[in-house]
Amino acid sequence: MQFDVRRLDVYRKVPKDLTEPTFTGAIVSVLSCLFILFLLVSEFFSFIAPEVKSELFVDDPGDVGRISVRINVTLPEAPCQVVGLDIQDDLGRHEVGFVEDVKKMIEFGGKGCRFEAKFNINRVPGNFHVSTHATGHQAVLPVMRHKIHEVSFGDKVIKNKNVNGAFNPLKDIDYTRSDPEFAHDYFLKIVPTIYESLSSVNNTYAYQYTYAHKEYKSQVHGRQVTPAIWFRYDLSAITVKYIEKRPPIYHFITTVCAIVGGTFTVAGIIDSCIFTASNIFKKAELGKLS
C-alpha cells in the first residue's frame, strides 16, 4: 500500500463553500492587518536603530599623553589687555601669560573682554586659571565677574541623543553679579569616555567632567590677593565606554513571526466569540435557544 504524503499536512484546507464570510469577520480582519502593519513598521525601525549601552572599566583611552582644552569665557568688567591664562600641573609645568591659540575680543565698549583659548594639558592633576597675569600688563584690583560659554576637554564631543554626557556642563554658568572682589574656584573631575559606533571603524575618544564651584575673597596675611578664575582638574581612573549594538537578524525574524501569528490567533478567537454570541442572540430572538 502506497503511503500518501498528504496525510502529513497539519494545515488541512476547508472547502470554500463550507466557509461563511461575515461583516464582523471582515472588520476584525482589516483591523488585524492594520495592527500587524503598525507593529511590523515599529519593530523594523527599532531594529535598524542601534541601542547604546554603557560599561565602566579601569583603563585609559588611547595613547594620548596630553588632552586638548577649549575655554570660552566673557568678563564684562576686565579689559582685554590685562586678561591672560596661566597653566600649572603636578609635572612642574608653570606657564604664565599663555599666548598661543588665544583670542581676545573687546566687549562692553572696551570695559570687558571675551576670552577664548585652546591649549593642551598633561594627564596629571593641575589647574589653569584666567587672571590678570597677561604679559606686560597688570591690574590693580581686577573684577573677575564672568559668564562661561565653554570649557571642554578632548578633540571631539560625542553628539548622540542616546548619550546623556556632561561634555560641557559649565556652559552658560553666569557669575556676572557676584561680589566684585571674589575669586572663583571650579573643581573638575575629568572622566575619559569612549564611543564605539557601528558606522565607524575608529572609536571616538572624548572627556566628560563633573564640577563643584566655590567663590571667596582670597587673603594672605590680612592682605587681599588678586582674584582669578581657577579651574582645578583631576582625572578619574574609571573610563566610560558607550557601545552601539543592534539585535541579531534572527531576533527580528522571531519578533515578526510572533507579531503575525499572535495577532491572527487572537483575532480568530475574537471573531469566533463574536460569531458564537451572534448566533446565540439570533436563536434567542427566534425562541430556539433551548
Side-chain angles (χ1 to χ4, degrees):
M1 183 177 180
Q2 188 176 4
F3 179 74
D4 191 356
V5 180
R6 292 179 297 178
R7 296 173 60 183
L8 301 177
D9 185 9
V10 297
Y11 301 103
R12 301 295 179 95
K13 309 302 183 295
V14 180
K16 190 175 181 179
D17 55 351
L18 297 180
T19 60
E20 179 183 356
T22 61
F23 180 75
T24 56
I27 294 178
V28 172
S29 299
V30 172
L31 293 177
S32 298
C33 291
L34 293 176
F35 184 68
I36 289 174
L37 180 62
F38 169 74
L39 292 181
L40 290 180
V41 172
S42 302
E43 182 63 27
F44 175 74
F45 281 108
S46 176
F47 173 74
I48 63 175
E51 180 184 2
V52 178
K53 295 185 177 181
S54 62
E55 60 183 39
L56 303 176
F57 58 93
V58 180
D59 198 0
D60 195 46
D63 300 323
V64 182
R66 309 191 86 187
I67 304 173
S68 62
V69 183
R70 291 176 298 277
I71 180 172
N72 186 340
V73 57
T74 296
L75 299 96
E77 300 176 55
C80 282
Q81 62 266 27
V82 302
V83 177
L85 178 69
D86 304 339
I87 307 172
Q88 298 174 319
D89 64 31
D90 288 359
L91 288 180
R93 181 184 183 185
H94 189 184
E95 296 188 41
V96 179
F98 182 84
V99 294
E100 297 179 15
D101 292 325
V102 172
K103 184 188 296 184
K104 302 179 183 179
M105 291 171 284
I106 298 174
E107 293 190 354
F108 303 100
K111 296 180 180 180
C113 182
R114 180 157 181 161
F115 183 85
E116 299 180 14
K118 184 177 181 180
F119 55 96
N120 295 321
I121 57 174
N122 296 315
R123 303 180 66 87
V124 295
N127 73 80
F128 53 91
H129 53 276
V130 178
S131 65
T132 58
H133 298 159
T135 304
H137 296 88
Q138 188 59 259
V140 178
L141 188 60
V143 178
M144 302 309 290
R145 290 172 172 172
H146 62 279
K147 180 178 181 179
I148 298 176
H149 307 288
E150 179 184 14
V151 174
S152 59
F153 298 87
D155 295 325
K156 297 181 179 179
V157 174
I158 299 173
K159 296 181 179 179
N160 189 298
K161 63 181 181 179
N162 296 318
V163 177
N164 297 320
F167 298 99
N168 186 21
L170 285 175
K171 182 180 179 182
D172 296 330
I173 293 297
D174 191 340
Y175 283 101
T176 55
R177 296 184 179 181
S178 64
D179 191 306
E181 297 182 355
F182 276 176
H184 298 266
D185 267 14
Y186 293 93
F187 301 91
L188 313 179
K189 191 69 172 182
I190 304 174
V191 182
T193 306
I194 304 174
Y195 190 85
E196 187 177 296
S197 175
L198 291 173
S199 58
S200 177
V201 178
N202 300 321
N203 295 336
T204 300
Y205 298 96
Y207 296 87
Q208 305 180 65
Y209 66 91
T210 59
Y211 75 92
H213 172 262
K214 180 180 72 173
E215 55 182 356
Y216 58 96
K217 186 180 294 186
S218 181
Q219 293 183 343
V220 177
H221 303 300
R223 299 181 61 183
Q224 184 172 351
V225 178
T226 303
I229 307 172
W230 295 80
F231 299 92
R232 307 178 191 273
Y233 60 87
D234 191 9
L235 274 80
S236 171
I238 302 298
T239 295
V240 180
K241 187 175 184 180
Y242 296 100
I243 307 172
E244 285 188 354
K245 291 186 177 181
R246 183 175 287 127
I249 185 65
Y250 64 81
H251 182 274
F252 176 71
I253 295 174
T254 302
T255 305
V256 170
C257 293
I259 290 174
V260 175
T263 303
F264 274 123
T265 299
V266 174
I269 294 174
I270 294 174
D271 179 61
S272 177
C273 292
I274 294 175
F275 182 74
T276 303
S278 177
N279 286 339
I280 293 175
F281 181 74
K282 290 180 180 179
K283 289 181 178 180
E285 284 185 332
L286 298 175
K288 299 181 179 180
L289 189 59
S290 58

